[in-house]
Amino acid sequence: MRPLRSLPLALLLLAVLAGAAAALPVPQIQIGVTETAEGGSLNTALQIMLGLTVLSLAPAILILMTSFTRIVVVLGFLRNAMGTQQMPPNQLIIGLSLFLTVAVMTPVFQQVHSQALAPYMAQEIDDREALDRGVKPLKAFMLTHTQDRDLELFLRVGDQEVPESRLETPLMTVVPAFVISELKRAFQIGFVLYVPFLIIDMVVASILMSMGMMMLPPVMISLPFKVLLFVLVDGWNLVVRSLMGSFS
């Protein structure tokens, strides 16, 4: 019987709440496109959208149009050749690759700043001209490290004529050609890095087999020797120096 007795009270409470809700003003939200009397607000909105678009594409630009690809692939090959599993970790390899990329690309970034960004901030040039000026140093860097056969491949795929000057090649053709050229060089360097560690693995495996220790994994024995060899020859210095020198 108690639920029946509490029913009128509940109905009275709901009626009071409904009346209070009806008395409260409800805000109205409208979404639409209206005309503006000033062009500055529209220009600012477009600049914000353009800035957000550039920020969203920044990782792809960093990976595909700089020296990051070659550096991170070579460091990954080095870790696999040593057989140290997750040492150094991925975060450390990517962080080191980023700082090495900044060191390699500093002259290019300075050209972009002096030729495009600084005049644009000083309102000496418009957006389109700033973009054209900023792309030229990056394109020149990519073309320097792009092989002719890779460039011809994407020109043929895009059904484009060979330009009179390499600098006249469209950016959408230069970027994929540059990437596969960087991957080829990175794999070549990775092969060279694999050779000394592969020799150590073969020697250790042969010794263990001659001693009858076929059940003992050779990696357990060869790993300390590979780490010791890498430390004795100052391997990180040699690898980083070779990577930096490959872009000069």
Side-chain angles (χ1 to χ4, degrees):
M1 298 299 294
R2 289 184 178 179
L4 294 177
R5 292 178 181 177
S6 61
L7 182 59
L9 181 61
L11 293 175
L12 178 61
L13 181 60
L14 289 176
V16 172
L17 292 177
L24 292 175
V26 179
Q28 183 179 5
I29 301 175
Q30 295 181 354
I31 300 176
V33 179
T34 59
E35 297 181 358
T36 177
E38 298 180 358
S41 59
L42 180 60
N43 190 20
T44 303
L46 291 177
Q47 289 179 358
I48 294 175
M49 293 179 60
L50 180 61
L52 292 176
T53 303
V54 172
L55 288 178
S56 63
L57 295 177
I61 295 173
L62 177 64
I63 293 174
L64 299 179
M65 300 177 64
T66 63
S67 58
F68 181 83
T69 301
R70 185 189 307 186
I71 295 174
V72 72
V73 172
V74 169
L75 294 181
F77 269 119
L78 176 62
R79 184 179 65 181
N80 292 333
M82 293 181 63
T84 53
Q85 301 299 325
Q86 296 297 324
M87 288 296 149
N90 293 330
Q91 294 85 349
L92 183 58
I93 290 180
I94 294 175
L96 179 59
S97 302
L98 286 174
F99 277 94
L100 293 179
T101 300
V102 172
V104 172
M105 301 297 296
T106 295
V108 180
F109 292 156
Q110 289 177 349
Q111 293 180 9
V112 173
H113 181 270
S114 61
Q115 298 178 9
L117 184 58
Y120 175 73
M121 297 299 293
Q123 298 182 354
E124 297 176 358
I125 57 177
D126 56 2
D127 301 348
R128 184 179 299 275
E129 187 175 356
L131 181 61
D132 294 338
R133 291 187 181 184
V135 167
K136 287 181 180 179
L138 285 174
K139 184 187 290 187
F141 172 82
M142 289 187 290
L143 288 173
T144 303
H145 302 282
T146 302
Q147 298 181 354
D148 293 335
R149 59 183 304 177
D150 296 331
L151 200 61
E152 293 175 358
L153 169 63
F154 286 97
L155 286 173
R156 186 169 59 253
V157 169
D159 196 14
Q160 301 174 6
E161 297 181 357
V162 179
E164 298 179 358
S165 176
R166 285 169 61 98
L167 292 176
E168 298 177 0
T169 307
L171 185 64
M172 299 301 294
T173 303
V174 175
V175 173
F178 169 74
V179 171
I180 64 173
S181 296
E182 288 293 283
L183 288 175
K184 180 179 179 180
R185 290 190 178 92
F187 274 66
Q188 291 173 347
I189 298 174
F191 172 78
V192 175
L193 291 175
Y194 257 97
V195 171
F197 300 112
L198 181 61
I199 293 175
I200 294 177
D201 288 334
M202 294 176 62
V203 171
V204 171
S206 300
I207 294 175
L208 292 177
M209 186 175 296
S210 63
M211 296 175 63
M213 299 181 179
M214 292 179 293
M215 300 301 295
L216 182 62
V219 178
M220 296 182 60
I221 307 300
S222 62
L223 180 58
F225 289 101
K226 290 190 288 187
V227 174
L228 178 62
L229 174 65
F230 193 72
V231 172
L232 290 177
V233 301
D234 197 6
W236 288 111
N237 186 285
L238 292 176
V239 172
V240 172
R241 184 187 303 175
S242 300
L243 278 173
M244 301 291 285
S246 64
F247 291 100
S248 59

